[in-house]
Amino acid sequence: MKVLIVPGLTLRSVDPVDVDRIRVAGGGADVVVASDTETALAEAADADVIFGGVSRSMYLAAKKLRWVHAIASGVDGYLYDEFRKGDVVLTSEKGLVGEHLADHAFGLLLMLTRQLKTAMHLGPDAWNHRPTMRAKEIELTGATMGIFGFGGTGRAVARRAAAFGMSVMALDRDPVPVSPEVDVVHGPGDFDDLLGASDVVAICCPLTPETRGKFDAAAFRRMKTDAILVNVTRGEVMVEEDLVLALQSGEIRGAALDVAPREPLPADSRLWSFPQVAMTPHTAGASQFRAGRNIDRFVRNLERLRRGEPLEGVIDKELGY
């Protein structure tokens, strides 16, 4: 068996100890770590397994390929037609990234609710704006968090929301299990109700044909006028111009965003102009634990592959998650 490792943004390098673990898990597999794009393309030709990003050209060159393990929680970048329609199995780190994404979601949310963005922007002059800032500060206790997408990220957000004294509603397209914080997981038909009942709406879903553009003008109209939108998963779930208009007209209170409908978000986007928007440049996915967790899953999956057992984190390539 030949295993090709293609480092990337979330897996910048692989320690020799981990290379040895992968070799052992693969039953003495030939493990190659690609140093650049050209090497990855050449080595893909006879690879049985690829751990990392797989471009279309790599996929077409990889005639022996059986399985790809992604180094991304969202796999929309892998689902070009040939891969999506082919027999190669795709797994990912889905379910493993929720903790740091949820940390980031609440960091951004608190930037708005506790006027932290304003204080940082004003610097020393903030002392001259204390009454105004205090008048705008919000306590989360008793507020309702509505979570759109109840996978690993949604569940991690729910745990933190409950710790802040919030009540939690959740919605998912699939009949997923409840959690200690959520006694009912609503289905797609309850989308309007979730929006209308939530003081904070957290987008925690993957990008799929169903979710692309889901948060449009109609969705923003259904939200409370004092609600805050939080998104740390995929920006294309939102329609940029509709979000701008909702913020401009006061249809929603604000937005806490790590992702944007266009990335990088151009300097002329009106989203930059709103004081009630807190944004970071798609950095929520970073954690000192992320690469290790995904390597551990890959090692377990290699062992499962050899034993003919089901793999962890399998992606339904038609559904996109």
Side-chain angles (χ1 to χ4, degrees):
M1 179 191 300
K2 178 178 176 178
V3 176
L4 173 61
I5 301 174
V6 184
L9 181 64
T10 66
L11 185 71
R12 293 192 175 276
S13 61
V14 183
D15 189 277
V17 172
D18 288 320
V19 172
D20 286 340
R21 291 175 60 208
I22 291 168
R23 184 177 294 111
V24 171
D30 175 23
V31 181
V32 177
V33 181
S35 57
D36 52 46
T37 303
E38 292 73 20
T39 302
L41 182 59
E43 295 288 351
D46 59 347
D48 300 282
V49 176
I50 297 179
F51 180 23
V54 179
S55 65
R56 181 174 179 272
S57 57
M58 283 177 60
Y59 181 83
L60 294 176
K63 303 303 183 183
K64 295 178 58 181
L65 191 60
R66 301 164 54 196
W67 163 43
V68 171
H69 186 76
I71 54 172
S73 53
V75 296
D76 43 284
Y78 290 77
L79 298 178
Y80 37 86
D81 283 348
E82 292 87 353
F83 196 171
R84 182 173 56 82
K85 295 175 182 178
D87 296 329
V88 175
V89 175
L90 177 62
T91 59
S92 81
E93 56 183 340
K94 68 175 181 178
L96 300 179
V97 300
E99 301 301 330
H100 49 271
L101 290 179
D103 283 357
H104 205 97
F106 269 85
L108 285 168
L109 178 60
L110 293 171
M111 290 288 286
L112 299 180
T113 61
R114 305 308 302 166
Q115 290 290 290
L116 305 182
K117 177 186 176 182
T118 301
M120 293 178 68
H121 174 72
L122 292 173
D125 193 42
W127 286 94
N128 299 318
H129 297 267
R130 289 179 67 213
T132 302
M133 290 168 60
R134 289 171 68 97
K136 293 179 179 179
E137 289 182 9
I138 302 166
E139 181 178 336
L140 292 174
T141 304
T144 297
M145 168 72 80
I147 299 175
F148 181 73
F150 205 50
T153 301
R155 291 169 187 275
V157 168
R159 289 192 291 273
R160 285 154 180 77
F164 271 89
M166 303 178 77
S167 60
V168 186
M169 298 177 63
L171 180 150
D172 201 279
R173 77 175 300 281
D174 299 322
V176 298
V178 298
S179 74
E181 303 80 20
V182 176
D183 54 9
V184 176
V185 180
H186 298 275
D190 295 319
F191 182 57
D192 290 357
D193 292 339
L194 179 89
L195 297 180
S198 300
D199 300 296
V200 179
V201 177
I203 297 175
C204 299
C205 65
L207 178 64
T208 70
E210 291 180 61
T211 63
R212 184 181 293 274
K214 182 71 172 178
F215 281 77
D216 57 8
F220 297 130
R221 282 195 298 270
R222 296 180 188 115
M223 290 173 60
K224 294 182 177 182
T225 55
D226 59 353
I228 295 174
L229 180 72
V230 179
N231 189 354
V232 292
T233 51
R234 281 293 182 267
E236 298 92 334
V237 175
M238 308 174 298
V239 177
E240 182 177 345
E241 187 60 27
D242 292 350
L243 176 57
V244 166
L245 293 176
L247 291 162
Q248 191 172 52
S249 66
E251 284 185 338
I252 63 173
R253 180 191 292 268
L257 310 174
D258 181 58
V259 291
R262 296 178 287 163
E263 294 187 1
L265 187 65
D268 62 358
S269 169
R270 285 190 287 168
L271 286 175
W272 293 113
S273 67
F274 294 104
Q276 70 270 39
V277 175
M279 290 195 291
T280 47
H282 205 146
T283 53
S287 165
Q288 72 273 35
F289 304 120
R290 181 170 183 174
R293 288 170 178 155
N294 204 19
I295 289 171
D296 288 346
R297 171 171 282 181
F298 182 66
V299 167
R300 290 193 300 271
N301 271 348
L302 266 177
E303 294 169 344
R304 286 171 173 265
L305 184 72
R306 289 177 57 214
R307 295 194 297 262
E309 297 175 356
L311 305 183
E312 298 178 22
V314 174
I315 298 296
D316 183 317
K317 293 188 290 184
E318 289 300 323
L319 293 178
Y321 61 90

